[in-house]
Amino acid sequence: MNQDSSAATHPGDIHRLLLSGPLAEQVAERLGTAYPGLETRVVSQGPPSSDDLAWADAYTGFRLPEGFERSAIVWVHAMMAGVDALAPALRDLPRPVLLTRTVGDMPRKMGLYVLAYALADAHHLAEYREQQADRVWRPLDAPRTGGALATILGTGEIGAGVAEALQGAGFDTCGVNRTGHEHPAFSRVAAATDPNAVPRETNVLVNTLPLTLETTGSIGMSIFGRVEGALFINVGRGASVAMDDLRRALELGHLRHAVLDVLPTEPPPADAWYWDHPQVTLTPHIAAVTDAGDVARSLSAALDDLRSGRTPESSVDLARGY
Ligand code: GLV
């Protein structure tokens, strides 16, 4: 037990870590005694109290607790990969706070989710179930994945995981990022500023972009209008998509189906058009969920880096928002 009660002023000096939320207990158990001098406090149920916040110099959870701005916490580790719910609030604080995030096994999990839906679509799994229900025995087009093109918006760790999974099934992959810089996980990469970045021959269009001011509402007709009959899969954030444009793109045939794991509001309102649109498949934000192992490993990696004076690889650029 560390008796030092002085507040850390730098993330490298932290010694009181507050863990909050449903994974808190398991993460604390996994950290165990690996970090001498690090005390942990777990709040599994409900929000941390003002006393918890005053005690801590580091915090990990899924969201920022109320009153966070009055604490002296200098390091926040997000238990998830997307930090749109944390970064803007931390950026606006008068004191510097380091934000790191959990990626863990997410790229592989996301890759499997996208691959599952891309294959289900190519193999007409839903249509065969419908045909069976109607006692119809009719072969549909042979599946085409070998050489089919998947265009992935975002070439970060998650985009790369998705590209790797799709490549394993024979897809060609085109990545789209801010500058068009190459990435080994993609057959080719285009810059988002290039109006032709999304190739017309795209069969599967996947969004993995982080949600920032720049990406909010950025996936609309200018992108959907480029493709003809593509499958759209959103595993990034719902608010990146202009939902009215998505509906229009489905109606005009630019998209043949949309698989949405994320929506602008979750859960969506009962009267949202996409609940019962025949060309929309919804899943409740489960494409890739971080577990306690993912969080503990990434938290430990960040702690190791901080204690050795390195900037953790999982650090978020607060100005950029990811
Ligand atoms: C899930 O959406 C995450 O950001 O980890």
Side-chain angles (χ1 to χ4, degrees):
M1 185 108 146
N2 194 299
Q3 297 304 317
D4 180 359
S5 62
S6 62
T9 50
H10 183 272
D13 305 327
I14 65 107
H15 46 251
R16 287 185 296 270
L17 172 65
L18 176 62
L19 302 98
S20 143
L23 299 181
E25 186 81 57
Q26 291 174 60
V27 173
E29 264 167 33
R30 281 174 163 81
L31 291 180
T33 51
Y35 294 94
L38 180 70
E39 283 181 66
T40 56
R41 187 183 285 191
V42 168
V43 179
S44 301
Q45 306 272 326
S49 66
S50 50
D51 176 61
D52 295 327
L53 288 170
W55 169 85
D57 49 20
Y59 170 82
T60 183
F62 286 99
R63 52 183 62 85
L64 278 194
E66 212 170 297
F68 179 88
E69 66 286 355
R70 292 189 296 277
S71 75
I73 291 170
V74 290
W75 173 36
V76 172
H77 181 78
M79 287 194 175
M80 64 285 190
V83 291
D84 45 285
L86 303 176
L90 294 179
R91 186 184 47 216
D92 293 344
L93 285 180
R95 65 197 159 85
V97 176
L98 171 72
L99 175 62
T100 54
R101 65 185 189 129
T102 300
V103 176
D105 200 21
M106 278 212 139
R108 191 187 65 86
K109 293 178 190 170
M110 286 283 191
L112 291 178
Y113 175 96
V114 171
L115 181 61
Y117 280 100
L119 291 182
D121 175 67
H123 288 260
H124 311 294
L125 298 193
E127 292 95 319
Y128 284 127
R129 288 295 299 178
E130 278 167 22
Q131 289 194 174
Q132 181 185 344
D134 294 338
R135 296 174 185 269
V136 171
W137 185 266
R138 185 176 63 221
L140 301 172
D141 294 343
R144 192 173 87 83
T145 48
L149 180 66
T151 298
I152 297 147
L153 308 177
T155 62
E157 286 172 85
I158 290 172
V162 168
E164 278 159 17
L166 291 170
Q167 275 174 351
F171 283 88
D172 276 339
T173 52
C174 172
V176 179
N177 61 28
R178 276 151 63 105
T179 59
H181 56 273
E182 294 296 315
H183 189 297
F186 298 83
S187 324
R188 57 186 142 135
V189 176
T193 46
D194 174 355
N196 302 324
V198 174
R200 285 228 173 272
E201 65 275 21
T202 297
N203 301 98
V204 181
L205 177 65
V206 186
N207 174 42
T208 71
L209 291 171
L211 183 66
T212 64
L213 278 180
E214 217 179 353
T215 60
T216 299
S218 67
I219 304 172
M221 235 17 200
S222 60
I223 291 178
F224 297 140
R226 298 264 320 144
V227 297
E228 281 312 321
L231 170 68
F232 174 59
I233 305 180
N234 191 7
V235 290
R237 284 288 186 262
S240 298
V241 176
M243 294 302 278
D244 289 343
D245 283 13
L246 172 66
R247 184 183 204 168
R248 205 144 60 87
L250 288 164
E251 282 162 9
L252 295 174
H254 293 296
L255 301 176
R256 81 176 163 279
H257 199 93
V259 176
L260 309 175
D261 185 54
V262 285
L263 291 166
T265 306
E266 297 173 10
D271 61 352
W273 63 266
Y274 29 87
W275 271 118
D276 51 6
H277 194 290
Q279 289 160 275
V280 175
T281 299
L282 301 182
T283 56
H285 205 137
I286 47 65
V289 178
T290 46
D291 59 28
D294 290 323
V295 176
R297 275 188 300 277
S298 60
L299 191 59
S300 301
L303 256 171
D304 291 341
D305 282 339
L306 288 170
R307 293 199 159 182
S308 312
R310 294 185 299 266
T311 304
E313 248 181 68
S314 62
S315 300
V316 173
D317 178 337
L318 291 182
R320 223 172 46 165
Y322 64 96

